[in-house]
């Protein structure tokens, strides 16, 4: 069993639950972790249980000697696949850029080439003495972006 085979064979079970596969990993000790995301809403425990059962039907745990964890993509984890970016369109995200710059704003576009963000910043405006809040929309090429993750606000 390898990552490509796991992805191919488990995909129908993941899609049947209205989810998509974010990541699949196998450790040196044969610990397998499947990370899933819901197409709409959030991953439910029942989704993880159903995918776990489907996996065990595909591979005999005694013969393969593996452990399996099915988990949802964490809220604090950076996006890994384009579908996560697409799901987040219109929502607040944190973008970490190479060079250390970090921005929080609304994700307005995403593609393999980059992301677009609408955000506000305090800037000096010609003809005024004080900084003013200015709304900007900027596109950042993928090679300039370190990470994009959901912006979580606790109220």
């Amino acid at each position: 069993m390898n990552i490509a085979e796991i992805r191919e064979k488990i995909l129908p079970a993941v899609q049947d639950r209205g989810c998509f596969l974010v990541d699949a990993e196998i450790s040196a000790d044969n610990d397998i972790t499947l990370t899933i995301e819901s197409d709409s809403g959030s991953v439910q425990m029942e989704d993880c249980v159903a995918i776990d059962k489907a996996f065990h039907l595909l591979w005999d745990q005694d013969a393969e000697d593996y452990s399996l964890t099915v988990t949802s993509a964490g809220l604090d984890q950076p996006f890994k696949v384009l579908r996560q970016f697409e799901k987040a369109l219109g929502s607040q995200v944190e973008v970490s850029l190479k060079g250390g710059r970090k921005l929080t704003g609304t994700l307005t576009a995403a593609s393999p080439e980059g992301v677009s963000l609408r955000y506000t910043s305090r800037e000096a405006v010609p003809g005024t003495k004080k900084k003013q809040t200015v709304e900007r929309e900027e596109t950042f090429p993928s090679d300039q972006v370190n990470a994009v993750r959901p912006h979580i606000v606790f109220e």
Side-chain angles (χ1 to χ4, degrees), residues 12-13 68 74 140:
L68 175 66
F140 303 97

Side-chain angles (χ1 to χ4, degrees), residues 73-101:
L75 286 177
D76 62 338
Q77 297 300 308
F79 298 148
K80 292 184 177 183
V81 296
L82 184 58
R83 282 180 72 177
Q84 289 178 291
F85 288 89
E86 292 169 345
K87 182 180 173 185
L89 288 173
S91 65
Q92 293 287 300
V93 296
E94 295 174 9
V95 177
S96 299
L97 300 170
K98 293 188 173 143
R101 185 175 173 204

Side-chain angles (χ1 to χ4, degrees), residues 20-33:
F20 59 93
L21 193 60
V22 172
D23 199 12
E25 299 174 337
I26 302 176
S27 75
D29 295 331
N30 226 19
D31 297 325
I32 300 165
T33 303

Side-chain angles (χ1 to χ4, degrees), residues 100-143:
R101 185 175 173 204
K102 291 185 180 184
L103 299 166
T104 300
T106 303
L107 185 64
T108 58
S111 72
E113 289 76 39
V115 296
S116 295
L117 187 70
R118 186 174 54 245
Y119 64 95
T120 57
S121 65
R122 301 278 296 160
E123 298 177 12
V125 176
T128 64
K129 292 184 180 186
K130 294 184 178 180
K131 288 186 176 185
Q132 295 181 354
T133 301
V134 177
E135 187 168 290
R136 297 226 174 259
E137 183 155 351
E138 204 170 340
T139 298
F140 303 97
S142 295
D143 64 356

